[in-house]
Amino acid sequence: LDSVAMEAAQARLDSLTKPPGSLGKLETVAKQAAGITGEAMPDLSRKAVVVMAGDHGVCEEGVSAFPPEVTPQMVLNFLNGGAAVNVLARQAGADVVCVDVGVNAKLEHPKLVSRKIRYGTANIAREAAMSRAEATAAVRVGYEIVSEMVAKGTRVFATGEMGIGNTTPSAAILIALGGLSPEQAVGRGTGIDDARLRHKRGVIERALQANEVDQDDALDVLAKLGGLEIAGLVGVILGAAAHRALVVIDGFISSAAALVASRMAPLSVSYMIASHMSLEQGHHGMLEAIGLSPMIHMDMRLGEGTGAVLSFHFLDAASNIMREMATFESAGVTQG
Amino acid sequence: LDSVAMEAAQARLDSLTKPPGSLGKLETVAKQAAGITGEAMPDLSRKAVVVMAGDHGVCEEGVSAFPPEVTPQMVLNFLNGGAAVNVLARQAGADVVCVDVGVNAKLEHPKLVSRKIRYGTANIAREAAMSRAEATAAVRVGYEIVSEMVAKGTRVFATGEMGIGNTTPSAAILIALGGLSPEQAVGRGTGIDDARLRHKRGVIERALQANEVDQDDALDVLAKLGGLEIAGLVGVILGAAAHRALVVIDGFISSAAALVASRMAPLSVSYMIASHMSLEQGHHGMLEAIGLSPMIHMDMRLGEGTGAVLSFHFLDAASNIMREMATFESAGVTQG
């Protein structure tokens, strides 16, 4: 991060008519944005959420409350503007970019970014989700999309995803990389009952036995435990960091991608902003493992990027505070 | 609350393309807004923050990091649009109404709502902040202002305040009504050091000894421990509840007003929405005493209504979700 720009941002923040630091994370984010972009008051208006979609072979074990055909159905919903993330992105003035990186269906739509690596992952309860080459290719998809968007002016990204069953690979990654127990890491996803939750934990334990992952090799963990949309988001995060853009991390699945990215490139964490604390029970431990602290506590558990897009408002707020607030001097207010 | 409107809102929420309840507090707020207004999809676009300003005699004990002349200086800053709350209100499309209910200075400005009850409170470390009649009059100021604004179309209010020293009466109220200890309730306000914090606790203990409050009489507590802007906000909250408007509660001082209102009229809590968890240490216990759970965790501690105005975005989001999201039927998505 650019320490000169951060010092300039801090000096500006301390000149404004408020006790030093009293706007909390609005100030932290303003300073972080300066460090990332190298500008004391960067223009953060060009924002986008990248929604990566992929399917999961492990769904055949019955780990989700929804059937797998919902993945392509929801992709079409994103493309037609009817999903929650579309509504919130419109409100935030952000673009929605929907990417098929691994949906288990043929999908065609003029707005779809078709970068399918394979038709869903293999069942991790029995074998590796994908090959190391496929994982690398999926990461590259995210990286390249962000590179193109940065070239066209986008400076703030949110991570979004769709993939029925994807809390299962996310929890498996959390156990492998974050060292949590299955009891801590595995939650109810879109809403399964107690019996199905016990079953899901068993499936994840089988996945960790079937796949001998090297926990010091995050790409190995990613390839063996999946999924393709998580790999795509790892690329989004690494691409944002490489191009000095901000990347706002959504909920549990996005944070699994952030955890992988943080192990592949520890400096990438400085480019991340945690948006919300999901109701999914492993999310708290996941964010702690990355070293992030979320801004929104609304018991959301939808994914898609909804929490990340909601917190775009705070980035705009930080930007407006920097530009529009009076200083102690200009307003004639006594400093404490 | 209107249970028919709430059921209609719930049915709508459950028809949208997302797992039931997965948008968390966005859904809770949508349903609460229906219950308050009696409309399944109310128009929440007309919003305002009412900033009540008053001074505190207890400042002569040296409890704040800022001198008392900052209160009128900041009121002028609000009126000229340069404070943090102005910036955030512009972003939210909300009006800022600034009310002098007890500033210890003559203030004139074309935009100021001048409803001064007295020039600051008395020093609570020695005597009652104000008489019971003055407290009632200050409550009436808030109630009347909200009544007039509702008549002109405002349906969502945020509580805001300015008054150097006002974490001191707020903590005293929390101890008296919420049963917390001074160690739990008294915090650093705008930023005092350890020695001053110990001193502030001692001042508040003296205030509780000097004023024998009847903890079953919230108006008695309000009058004896103060302040005038807190009393004004009690009126804002009660006025919103009486007129079926939503009222978003800001941080520690606003929550002290909400705590008083909740004891004077327990049903008023149904009309409140907690915005953020302040860094001020007593705020958590204060919200628990009222029965509220905040949405934003950003370590803010500025007051003015800044946290409440920031969370207006979530009310708009809830409203947009209700209006714009596709249903399972319209989007052809399989229900779980």
Side-chain angles (χ1 to χ4, degrees), chain B residues 10 16 28 30 58 75 77 87 122 175 213 229 246 250-251 259 283:
Chain B
Q10 187 66 57
L16 304 174
T28 317
V58 73
V75 168
N77 198 15
V87 174
I175 294 166
V213 298
E229 80 279 43
L246 287 72
D250 192 41
L259 179 58
H283 196 216

Side-chain angles (χ1 to χ4, degrees), chain A residues 244-275:
Chain A
R244 306 188 69 160
L246 287 71
V247 58
V248 184
I249 309 299
D250 192 41
F252 189 64
I253 295 101
S254 286
S255 299
L259 180 58
V260 172
S262 75
R263 298 300 161 91
M264 291 172 71
L267 290 177
S268 68
V269 177
S270 306
Y271 297 79
M272 301 178 192
I273 294 166
S275 57

Side-chain angles (χ1 to χ4, degrees), chain A residues 17-26 29 65-67 69-70 73-74 77 81-88 90-92 190-191 293-302 304 306 309-318 320-321 324-328 331-336, chain B residues 17-26 29 65-67 69-70 73-74 77 81-88 90-92 190-191 293-302 304 306 309-318 320-321 324-328 331-336:
Chain A
T17 48
K18 56 174 185 51
S22 60
L23 283 172
K25 287 182 186 169
L26 284 184
V29 162
F66 283 79
E69 63 260 31
V70 170
Q73 290 169 348
M74 283 300 296
N77 198 15
V85 71
N86 300 101
V87 174
L88 299 177
R90 274 197 292 277
Q91 184 179 345
T190 48
S293 166
M295 300 182 283
I296 298 175
H297 285 58
M298 292 184 75
D299 298 339
M300 293 165 66
R301 51 181 175 83
L302 177 56
E304 300 182 0
T306 46
V309 170
L310 257 192
S311 61
F312 278 168
H313 187 73
F314 299 151
L315 304 193
D316 290 335
N320 292 338
I321 289 289
E324 299 177 21
M325 260 185 83
T327 63
F328 283 104
V333 173
T334 309
Q335 251 176 301
Chain B
T17 47
K18 57 171 186 52
S22 60
L23 283 173
K25 287 183 186 169
L26 284 184
V29 162
F66 282 80
E69 63 258 31
V70 170
Q73 289 169 349
M74 283 300 296
N77 198 15
V85 70
N86 300 102
V87 174
L88 299 176
R90 274 196 293 275
Q91 184 180 346
T190 47
S293 167
M295 300 182 283
I296 298 175
H297 285 58
M298 292 184 74
D299 298 340
M300 294 165 65
R301 51 182 174 82
L302 177 56
E304 299 182 0
T306 46
V309 170
L310 256 192
S311 61
F312 278 167
H313 188 72
F314 299 151
L315 304 193
D316 289 335
N320 293 337
I321 288 289
E324 299 177 22
M325 261 185 82
T327 63
F328 283 104
V333 174
T334 309
Q335 252 176 302

Side-chain angles (χ1 to χ4, degrees), chain B residues 46-57:
Chain B
R46 288 286 302 277
K47 294 188 274 291
V49 53
V50 181
V51 183
M52 291 278 173
D55 274 307
H56 298 269

